[in-house]
Amino acid sequence: NAGVTQTPKFRILKIGQSMTLQCTQDMNHNYMYWYRQDPGMGLKLIYYSVGAGITDKGEVPNGYNVSRSTTEDFPLRLELAAPSQTSVYFCASGTRENQPQHFGDGTRLSIL
Amino acid sequence: GQNIDQPTEMTATEGAIVQINCTYQTSGFNGLFWYQQHAGEAPTFLSYNVLDGLEEKGRFSSFLSRSKGYSYLLLKELQMKDSASYLCAVMDSNYQLIWGAGTKLIIKP
């Protein structure tokens, strides 16, 4: 039982490059989330989805895009990487809004 | 604005009891979660409180007072493996989680 799987685990990007952070879950959860975690700060919600074909902005969506074509996959796209996007990114899934979220192992992204 | 406050760091001794406090000011309340996060790892769910009172789960208990905007996580019989950060998160009126910065708990032998 894999749970929530994120790839890659680590990545270094140059300013202005683009990339996609992959997230897939095998628990048939409708709800999926993308967070970023910066040192000394709480997790910040970037985007979330309540089901295939439905996405919505969280607290810090600028500079990111998402899609949800299937229940399992919820990729996060950075179009023009900026140093301020250096962070640890976590994908999570859940059955309903007020149920526990299950997290992937994270992607550690550095932009230089 | 919305705000979650937790102590930045706490130190306790193996075998002892520690209480980690969390105070919150949010637009609406739909429950409070506690997660554990070991260094370099993902957060994992510990407890959920939506009604006032104490929820006990093994060595861990969580308390909520909605009128005071206050919760605590109580860890008993501390073990070295309990060294981690403990994250408090409140679900607001939009059913989005607002996270505290976490409390780093250091356990000494």
Side-chain angles (χ1 to χ4, degrees):
Chain A
N1 190 2
V4 180
T5 302
Q6 291 184 237
T7 56
K9 294 192 185 305
F10 304 92
R11 183 74 184 267
I12 299 174
L13 281 183
K14 294 183 179 179
I15 296 171
Q17 286 185 320
S18 62
M19 78 164 292
T20 299
L21 281 65
Q22 302 291 346
C23 175
T24 188
Q25 52 95 5
D26 63 359
M27 297 174 285
N28 201 34
H29 287 168
N30 285 323
Y31 290 73
M32 295 188 75
Y33 310 84
W34 273 107
Y35 292 96
R36 59 178 290 171
Q37 187 176 37
D38 300 310
M41 308 269 294
L43 288 158
K44 301 291 186 186
L45 182 65
I46 305 171
Y47 272 95
Y48 67 100
S49 169
V50 300
I54 305 169
T55 62
D56 213 340
K57 295 178 180 179
E59 185 181 358
V60 291
N62 291 345
Y64 308 94
N65 277 301
V66 293
S67 59
R68 184 94 184 272
S69 57
T70 66
T71 299
E72 294 78 19
D73 299 307
F74 190 41
L76 177 73
R77 178 100 179 142
L78 283 71
E79 289 293 350
L80 288 170
S84 61
Q85 293 176 307
T86 293
S87 189
V88 180
Y89 291 84
F90 286 103
C91 178
S93 72
T95 54
R96 294 180 60 181
E97 312 102 321
N98 60 350
Q99 293 298 306
Q101 294 178 15
H102 302 262
F103 285 79
D105 289 336
T107 295
R108 283 146 186 82
L109 181 62
S110 294
I111 297 159
L112 306 175
Chain B
Q2 308 202 92
N3 196 49
I4 311 287
D5 285 318
Q6 313 177 227
T8 303
E9 187 173 297
M10 299 182 69
T11 302
T13 304
E14 191 177 15
I17 299 173
V18 70
Q19 178 175 312
I20 302 173
N21 295 325
C22 171
T23 58
Y24 63 89
Q25 290 179 305
T26 57
S27 56
F29 179 84
N30 281 301
L32 186 145
F33 293 82
W34 283 97
Y35 281 79
Q36 181 190 59
Q37 185 177 27
H38 284 101
E41 297 184 7
T44 55
F45 169 73
L46 286 177
S47 68
Y48 172 65
N49 295 69
V50 66
L51 299 176
D52 291 351
L54 188 68
E55 294 279 344
E56 296 186 81
K57 192 183 293 186
R59 294 189 297 115
F60 293 5
S61 303
S62 56
F63 171 83
L64 174 66
S65 169
R66 288 172 296 169
S67 63
K68 295 182 179 178
Y70 168 69
S71 172
Y72 67 72
L73 181 69
L74 191 71
L75 291 73
K76 302 177 185 177
E77 301 170 15
L78 286 170
Q79 302 175 10
M80 297 305 292
K81 67 179 182 179
D82 297 329
S83 292
S85 288
Y86 291 85
L87 314 181
C88 173
V90 173
M91 185 154 284
D92 69 8
S93 57
N94 294 319
Y95 287 93
Q96 291 189 11
L97 280 178
I98 310 301
W99 296 79
T103 299
K104 182 178 181 181
L105 178 64
I106 299 168
I107 310 296
K108 295 187 173 180

